[in-house]
Amino acid sequence: MDLENINQIEEAGSSTRLDIFRIGLALIFIIFVMLYVGGSTEGVEGHYLLIVAAMFGAYMALNIGANDVANNVGPAVGSKALTMAGAIFIAAIFEAAGALIAGGDVVSTIKENIINPGLINNSDTFIWLMMAALLAAAIWLNIATYLNAPVSTTHSIVGGVLGAGIAAGGLGIANWPVLGTIATSWVISPILGGAFAALFLFFIKRKITYQQDMLAAALRVVPILIAIMTWAFSTYILMKGLKQIWKVEIMTAGSIGLALAIAVFFWVKSRIIKRSVHLTASKESVNTLFNLPLICSAALLSFAHGANDVANAVGPLAAINDAVFQHGVTSKAAIPLWVMMVGAIGIAIGLALYGPKLIKTVGSEITELDKMRAFCIAMSAAITVIFASQLGLPVSSTHTAVGAVFGVGFLREYLKHSNAKRMAEIRLHHENTDPEKIEAFLKAFKNASIDEKGAMLKDLKQQAKLQEENAFLTKKERKSLKKVYRQELVQRSHLYKIAAAWIITVPVSGVMAGLIYFTIRGIMLP
């Protein structure tokens, strides 16, 4: 056996041991939750159901950490503003802080009112329904993580509650208009996220990277961009991240955000001026100015996610806990501290064990990200939520963030293609000219300002018209001699896979929840 085969065997063995280690830690967490709930609820009627539900909730929390958190830190890791270890550390702390500080103490027992709880016969049926929904959502998130597809936790829960609800109460139990609204978010969220991210990136390119003096342009524009980001994230956190403990209107949140943005503008401007003596007029140098904003955005997005989605994800467990102790079905249920702790700690463990896989997918495998592109994605995530909420449009944070990544990638493709096309046209126009003159013209064109480039292209087109009248070959025939290579900067395989996963999330989790409900019901009925 040669050395190469031995190395391959050792690598395979190392990977297997790591997988076993991860599974072992995850099982230890689930067993710990089982033992804690079993010990603290002993003697309570139905506590065995609560123990099983708590294990399902722990499994769900692990899968949220493995899948959903990647959207918050993936761009920062892909742009190398954060290391993988640093991103996991920041996300784990801020996800847990968001859940425990701003997650609230009450949750809706029926997520998004997608089914009518009045049609549920008794508390046992309700408990079985919620257990089925929780387990189905967790299994689907597990499958999606294995397939490297970031999907919405909220949509997974919605599908689970819907499927189990229909299994328990028939088609009439579903609130179909609400489901139509949720389906709308599949389209609205990625389109808005992608559009905003592309617009921000185009603005940065026009105002900074396409300028002759890139450093001087950055000194003017970057403080404004960071101030806008401060306003967007302040407003976003006040409206969404802290809504359970402090409800504010858009005008109040926006005003507070504006005050913070003005203060940050002057602070950032003075800091950048001091740093400028150590910077060069290059794209790499300008990129470093976005390091701190990206780290802050990853932390704030994680906090907001913990405050919103963690409570929603452990909502079924809180509802089961309430039904066990109250022996009835209510529209609102208190979230005990242990339930929120299961969600917060489970997400942190799931993120540490399995999160890197999806973080790499979002951060580097869909399209290549630098710090400016990652900044645009983070900005888009906050502004899309603010914009959509004021218009009453449903959005998914997962779909928005991933849509923003695709938006940045497709804009890069368009700009690369347009530039390649212009270069080909210039070379075609000078096809009988000395090659040195062509390269000199191309160099001058590359270093020209945007206005100068426009003037050069306009002059070129006018000359082309005159030449075409006397040319032996027509313009179309001459152009056919040169083929512009269209470079794909977005991985199409990821696009198709993620889009398919989004579309089937609610139906698949719903079907699984229905089957699991019938299984539990068959086991529990005498």
Side-chain angles (χ1 to χ4, degrees):
M1 186 178 292
D2 58 28
L3 185 60
E4 184 178 349
N5 290 334
I6 293 173
N7 288 335
Q8 289 177 348
I9 293 171
E10 288 181 350
E11 289 176 4
S14 176
S15 176
T16 302
R17 286 193 296 272
L18 184 58
D19 288 338
I20 294 172
F21 174 74
R22 288 171 178 158
I23 294 171
L25 283 182
L27 285 174
I28 288 171
F29 171 67
I30 294 173
I31 291 170
F32 177 82
V33 170
M34 177 190 72
L35 295 174
Y36 173 80
V37 175
S40 61
T41 62
E42 190 173 358
V44 176
E45 183 182 350
H47 84 288
Y48 288 113
L49 284 175
L50 188 55
I51 292 171
V52 175
M55 294 171 67
F56 291 171
Y59 176 49
M60 177 67 172
L62 290 169
N63 282 290
I64 295 172
N67 190 289
D68 211 14
V69 181
N71 311 306
N72 303 325
V73 298
V77 173
S79 65
K80 297 181 173 58
L82 277 172
T83 63
M84 182 66 75
I88 290 172
F89 178 75
I90 288 174
I93 289 177
F94 281 87
E95 286 277 345
L100 298 174
I101 296 171
D105 54 5
V106 175
V107 69
S108 172
T109 58
I110 306 296
K111 177 72 185 103
E112 303 289 353
N113 297 316
I114 58 170
I115 63 172
N116 181 7
L119 298 179
I120 305 298
N121 297 327
N122 54 55
S123 60
D124 285 344
T125 301
F126 181 76
I127 291 171
W128 301 339
L129 185 158
M130 284 297 169
M131 288 175 67
L134 195 57
L135 182 57
I139 291 173
W140 169 242
L141 282 177
N142 201 158
I143 294 171
T145 302
Y146 176 77
L147 296 174
N148 270 14
V151 297
S152 170
T153 297
T154 302
H155 287 182
S156 301
I157 288 287
V158 165
V161 172
L162 175 66
I166 291 175
L171 290 172
I173 200 173
N175 188 341
W176 297 110
V178 170
L179 288 169
T181 302
I182 293 170
T184 304
S185 73
W186 296 341
V187 179
I188 292 175
S189 299
I191 289 177
L192 281 179
F196 277 121
L199 285 172
F200 280 120
L201 182 58
F202 187 71
F203 175 81
I204 287 175
K205 285 184 174 294
R206 292 274 298 187
K207 296 301 181 182
I208 299 179
T209 59
Y210 289 169
Q211 298 296 318
Q212 286 178 308
D213 191 341
M214 196 181 300
L215 182 58
L219 295 179
R220 292 192 305 270
V221 177
V222 170
I224 297 173
L225 288 172
I226 295 177
I228 294 172
M229 185 182 211
T230 302
W231 172 83
F233 272 88
S234 301
T235 306
Y236 174 75
I237 291 296
L238 287 170
M239 290 178 58
K240 297 296 179 182
L242 300 176
K243 67 180 182 180
Q244 297 288 354
I245 56 177
W246 184 31
K247 290 187 178 181
V248 295
E249 297 296 327
I250 178 65
M251 292 302 296
T252 304
S255 300
I256 295 172
L258 180 61
L260 290 172
I262 293 171
V264 167
F265 171 80
F266 288 107
W267 180 77
V268 168
K269 192 171 183 65
S270 64
R271 293 283 296 176
I272 289 178
I273 290 173
K274 289 179 181 178
R275 283 191 60 190
S276 62
V277 295
H278 305 292
L279 298 176
T280 59
S282 65
K283 189 175 181 181
E284 291 75 17
S285 188
V286 172
N287 255 309
T288 62
L289 299 176
F290 294 92
N291 262 336
L292 184 59
L294 279 173
I295 294 170
C296 293
S297 69
L300 292 174
L301 285 171
S302 297
F303 182 89
H305 181 268
N308 287 295
D309 288 22
V310 175
N312 292 334
V314 299
L317 178 55
I320 293 168
N321 178 79
D322 188 75
V324 167
F325 282 93
Q326 302 299 327
H327 302 290
V329 180
T330 59
S331 60
K332 296 283 184 180
I335 305 180
L337 179 61
W338 72 265
V339 171
M340 195 60 83
M341 288 293 290
V342 166
I345 296 174
I347 283 177
I349 294 174
L351 173 63
L353 296 179
Y354 296 101
K357 187 176 181 181
L358 263 293
I359 290 174
K360 288 179 183 176
T361 297
V362 174
S364 59
E365 293 179 1
I366 294 174
T367 191
E368 183 182 350
L369 297 178
D370 60 15
K371 295 177 180 64
M372 283 186 271
R373 296 167 198 153
F375 176 86
C376 296
I377 293 166
M379 284 273 283
S380 173
I383 288 182
T384 299
V385 172
I386 296 170
F387 177 77
S389 64
Q390 293 313 298
L391 295 180
L393 300 174
V395 291
S396 161
S397 60
T398 300
H399 293 192
T400 299
V402 177
V405 175
F406 280 114
V408 163
F410 282 123
L411 176 65
R412 291 180 62 220
E413 270 194 16
Y414 171 76
L415 294 176
K416 288 280 186 183
H417 172 66
S418 298
N419 185 62
K421 187 177 180 182
R422 283 197 297 267
M423 295 298 104
E425 287 176 349
I426 290 171
R427 286 192 171 92
L428 183 65
H429 178 75
H430 294 88
E431 58 188 343
N432 297 318
T433 309
D434 186 349
E436 292 183 2
K437 291 184 178 180
I438 297 176
E439 294 307 316
F441 184 90
L442 289 173
K443 185 177 180 181
F445 181 81
K446 183 178 180 181
N447 295 328
S449 67
I450 294 174
D451 293 336
E452 289 171 344
K453 285 180 179 178
M456 292 171 75
L457 287 174
K458 185 178 180 181
D459 182 59
L460 202 66
K461 288 179 180 179
Q462 289 176 347
Q463 293 180 35
K465 282 186 179 180
L466 294 175
Q467 289 182 359
E468 186 179 347
E469 294 175 359
N470 301 316
F472 178 72
L473 295 176
T474 66
K475 181 179 179 181
K476 183 177 180 181
E477 289 171 331
R478 286 187 296 114
K479 279 198 171 185
S480 67
L481 298 175
K482 302 288 185 179
K483 184 178 180 181
V484 178
Y485 175 67
R486 187 179 185 91
Q487 187 179 6
E488 289 191 353
L489 300 178
V490 176
Q491 289 290 335
R492 297 309 196 263
S493 59
H494 284 297
L495 172 63
Y496 303 143
K497 178 173 63 179
I498 291 171
W502 287 353
I503 291 170
I504 67 174
T505 289
V506 171
V508 168
S509 56
V511 170
M512 284 196 296
L515 293 174
I516 293 170
Y517 169 79
F518 284 125
T519 301
I520 294 173
R521 184 174 179 271
I523 293 171
M524 298 305 296
L525 286 178

